[in-house]
Structures are given as C-alpha cells and as structure tokens.
Amino acid sequence: MSSKFYITTPIYYVNDIPHIGHAYTTIIVDVLARFHHLLGQEVFFLTGTDEHGQKIEQAATKKGKNPKEYVDEISKSFKDIWENFEISYDKFIRTTDSYHLQTAQKAFLKMYQRGDIYKGEYEGNYCISCEAFFTKSQLIEEKKCPDCKKETTLVKEESYFFKLSAYQDRLLEFYKQHNDFILPKSRYNEVIKFVEAGLEDLSITRTSFDWGIKLPSEIASKDSKKHVMYVWLDALINYLSALGYQNTLNNKMDFWPVNYHIVGKDILRFHAVYWPAFLMSLELPLPQHIAAHGWWTRDGQKMSKSVGNVVNPQEVVNAYGLDCFRYFILREVPFGQDGDFSQRALIERINSDLSNDLGNLLNRLLGMSAKYFNNHLKVDIQAFRTHYKEELESIHRTLMGLETLMQKVQINRYLEEIWKIFALANGMIAKKEPWRLAKEDKMQEVAELLVFIANLLIKSAICLSPCMPKTAEEILSVFNLSLKSKYYLEFIRDNQIVSEVVLMPISALFPKIEAPLLEEKQKEEKTQNFITKEEFSKIEIKVGTIMGVEVMPKSEKLLKLQVDLGEERERQIIAGIKPYYSAQELVGRQVCVLANLKPAKLMGELSEGMILAVKDEEGLSLIQPQMIKKNGSPIS
Ligand code: MSP
C-alpha cells in the first residue's frame, strides 16, 4: 500500500448554504481520511467550493450582490460548518483562488496544444441548475432537464469543444481493465452503457456571461469573442490545482493519482467520463476510484427550498450531537442507495444501537468493575487467552475484515460488523450472568469476562474512531488510552490483548431520547400519511384480466381497456399506459384494479376503475399477481 492517500469531496456550489447532502459527502470522505490515518498513511483530504458559472452569477444578482462578494459569503458558510463538524480536511480550495485560475488556464492550453480542443458553434439546451448541456433527445417533455426536471434554455453560441468522442474507446478500455474504478458496481455498468451509447464532443466554453475563468491569453488574444471556461471543466481541475499542478503552490503531485473521488450519483458522469478524458488529454494517470453515493430525502419527500423541508445538518447536530448524526447517516443507508432522514428514524438508531447496544455495554462494564473489583481488573493472560480463544479469534477476524469493507466504501456494513461485536458481548453477559457467578464467588470468571469486554471495547473503539471520533476517544479514555495510529497496528493488526486494566469511569454515553428534539416534529406528526386498517378496508382492489384494448385516437397517453373482474359484465377502464404498452402486449394479461373508484369520464369515455402500476425513471410497469388468479379475487 502506498503511503500517500488522496481523497476529495466534490467542491460545493455556493448558490446555497450547506445541507444534509453536502454533509453526507463530506462526512464519508472524513471517515475514509481518518481510517487511512489510522492505517498510518499520509493523507491529503481536499474539499472546497465551486464558485463560477451562470447559476452562481444568477444567485448573486438575485441577492443584489456582485458575484465575488456573494461567493465569499457562502463559501465561508461551508468552511464554518466543516469546522463545527470537526472535519479533518487538509485543504479548502475555492475556484476563485488565483492558483486555481493558473492551473485551469494551463490545463486548457495543454489540451488545446495537443489538438483536443477546437472552435465551433454550440446549439442545444442548457440546464443552468445542473450546469449541463443536453441534446434534444435527452430532454423530457421537450424542454425539461432529465436530471433536475427544471426547464432548460436554448443556447446558440460560439464555443470551444473538447474532443470527447475521440476518447470513447480508450475510456471503455480503461473501465474494462479497472472494474473497481466506479463504486458501487451497479453504477459501473451504468457508466459503461452511457459511454457505449456514444460520446459527443463537449462544449467547454461559454460566451453569454462573464462569471468564469477566462481562456489562456495565448488563445484569448486570437479570439474576438469573450469566452469563459465551462464551469465543470473549471471545477474538475480543482483536484489538480490543490496539489500545485502547474501553479505557484507547493508541489504535492506525489499524492496524484487521487485514491477516491467521493461524489453524489447526480455528478458521477462528470467524474467518471469527462474527467478521465480530460486527464488522458493532460497525460496524467487516472483516479483509482470514483465512488457515488445516493440521495437523501426527508420524511419520504424530495428536499427542496420551495417546500422548506431541507434538512439543515447544523440544526440536527446542535440538537442530537455530532456523533449521533454521523452514525445515523453512515449506518442508515447502504453506500450508493438513497436514504431518508426523519427524526423518528434518527431517534430509533440512537436509542437502540447507540444507547442500548453500545452505551449500556460500557455502563455494565463500568458498573460491575466498580462493584466487584474497585475498577481494577487483572487476569492471568494465558488462562484468559485459553478460555476466550474462540471469541478472541472471531473478533480478530471480524476486525481484520473491516479494511476490505472500507476499501469498497461500504461504511454501513463496516458499522454493522462492529455492532456484531457489541452483540456478542451483550450475549456473553446474558449467558454467563456475572452477577450469579459473583454470588457463587467465582470472581476469576467474572474478571475474565470483564477483561474480555474491556479488550473488545478497546478494539472496537479504535475501529469505530473514523466514524465516531468523539465517542471513540471517550471509550478509550476509560482505559486510559487515546487515539493513535500505532494502536491500530498493535490492537487490530497484531491482535494485542490487555490482561490488566484500571478503569476510569465516565458519564453514560447516549442517554435515551424520549421525544423529538427538533421543533418541526409537530408538523411532521400532523403531515404523516398514516391511515387506519378500517380506512384501508374501504379500498377494493381486485384481480382482473384485460379482454380488449382500443386506442383512443385523440390521446397520446390513454388506452380504452375492457377488463373482466369476475362480474356479470366487463368493465371499461381508461388507462394512461399507451406510451408503455402495445395492445398486443395487454390482451390476456392479468392486472390489479382499484375496483371501487368512483366512475368518471376521461376524454368523453366512461372509466370504471383504475389499473395499478408502478413507475420509476426507467418507465412504467403494470402490477400483476405472481401466478394467475381467479378474476375478481380481492387483494388485501
Ligand atoms: N459543484 C458541483 C460539483 C463539482 S465537483 C468538481 C456540484 N455541487 S453541489 O453543491 O450541487 O453538490 C455537491 C454534492 O452534494 C454532490 O455530490 C451531490 O450529489 C450532493 N447532494 C446534493 N443534494 C443531495 C441530497 N439531497 N442528498 C445527497 N447528496 C446530495 O454538484
């Protein structure tokens, strides 16, 4: 393993203050950075703010500020929150920093001189919110952005292009040879499909606004139009500027290539397709891993400023504590999948995992050590190793497996494994009943059990420290230890065991939370969409078979279906499924029908029910029973 480890967050747009999504990405990077510190590596952790582009220019104008004044303010709010969150970053880059300007211009020039950049005219649609170009066929409802669904603007302007198409084969070859380049695996396949579908050259300059990095003077002087760099080209280059590539900063290119770019799934394409192509053009080695996480919703709903339901991570941390928040977001969702934030789920995690499983375990150890041994535990190491051989080996195996999980950024699995160890300890206490052993005066057995738990907590705390740094320090302080990377080598890799411990009591970790600590809970309760069983029983859903299908000529979406619901006559149902199914595919198919929906007319035709279907970004699919069932059978 190389001794250097370079990891980055995306640089955040400064059109908005930090929210849970930003905190999530940054905390994942913080965990990996701390973990690699533990392994004894030299870590460079980069974060920062992305400050150019049309979106930012517009946001500043809206606030009546000049862009620089505006970006200074918001960039500071990111810096401040990471400080409050004790994020262990090594450098905070701003794309308005002068050294970054130097790197971006030098990189542009190099790609130009290599023949990878040419001048042309761009005509197409641009989404200002995503700062991304789209072809007509990519748009939804003719005008809207396929990613954020906001309306795009038609752009027709002179532009420089990057010859992305020329890199298609080299990219595919690279992915093939590095099948862990993109994590998780499902996203790897998605990126390959995207590239295989064909890459178009990328417009990399804009002329219709000013707030961006100017082209290098060698090119600009020959150019009548005022071009600024496309904000994504400018932004991606930050990963090089921060290491002093082609600028006046101290050169740290010995950290290159980056080990992990952690990004959200929405910006994977920029990192996994465009960025490697730019780097190939710059003749630099490519990143080792691009790991894409999922998105957070709140109480099941997409977060948005207009709805006012954006989770403010600072408020959550103020109310529940930093480590509880870190634990929740890291444990709640498998890496790569979307997650939902609710106070209910957060409290559940705190009370059950943190308070019961971990806090109680430490309390029990402290309680029994004080009661039976006056806080001084001592056992014969040989006898102890023999009696607890199996358990000690099992814990060692589990802890050694954690490195692989962290390599794959499976932090939720990493935590699950640590919690298995706490479960083992709690199980041992229940099984051995040390209070009974004490009554029978088997004090050596009690001491061995407590020393076992002490060892287990020391080791677990070391491994827990990247995820919950404060908690780990607190647990270790009980054993008069503090966090040092040499302890990782001693206690984890070399499986060192202590046979004598003097415990220093601390106050209980994670007191139970009885009621939500953030005010919006009342609102949350009222808006919860629960229904009672009685309410549900009013709904009649039945199995039926589609007997006939007619196209409704005036409608792009609707089909007229005749459905047999086991009644005297077939029902006529108008369903908006024409874009997804042909008539041939439908006749004879069983479906689920909401049978007691009030009849209504749709485009002049009576509809006597509703066909149930499920829809996601890949399209719509009808719901049907797994096996053929009698028409009219009720679904409950
Ligand atoms: N500026 C670009 C990144 C350039 S990197 C060279 C950008 N900035 S962003 O501020 O819009 O988003 C930054 C990160 O926040 C992305 O990784 C994005 O996925 C993440 N999130 C934004 N909203 C989110 C959620 N609701 N949930 C989880 N993460 C989300 O994109």
Side-chain angles (χ1 to χ4, degrees), residues 10-13 19 21-22 24-25 50 55 232 235-236 238-239 263-267 271 293-296 303:
I11 44 172
Y12 302 110
Y13 284 131
H19 62 63
H22 305 126
Y24 183 52
T25 322
D50 187 356
K55 175 156 76 170
W232 265 103
L236 287 161
N238 95 86
Y239 302 130
V263 299
K265 61 180 182 180
D266 52 318
I267 57 170
H271 285 82
H293 64 70
W295 267 48
W296 284 92
M303 285 185 286

Side-chain angles (χ1 to χ4, degrees), residues 295-304 307-311 339-342 527 529:
W295 267 48
W296 284 92
T297 50
R298 177 180 209 163
D299 302 308
Q301 275 193 315
K302 194 171 171 207
M303 285 185 286
S304 94
V307 180
N309 65 344
V310 178
V311 179
D340 186 52
F341 177 89
S342 71
T527 54
N529 250 345

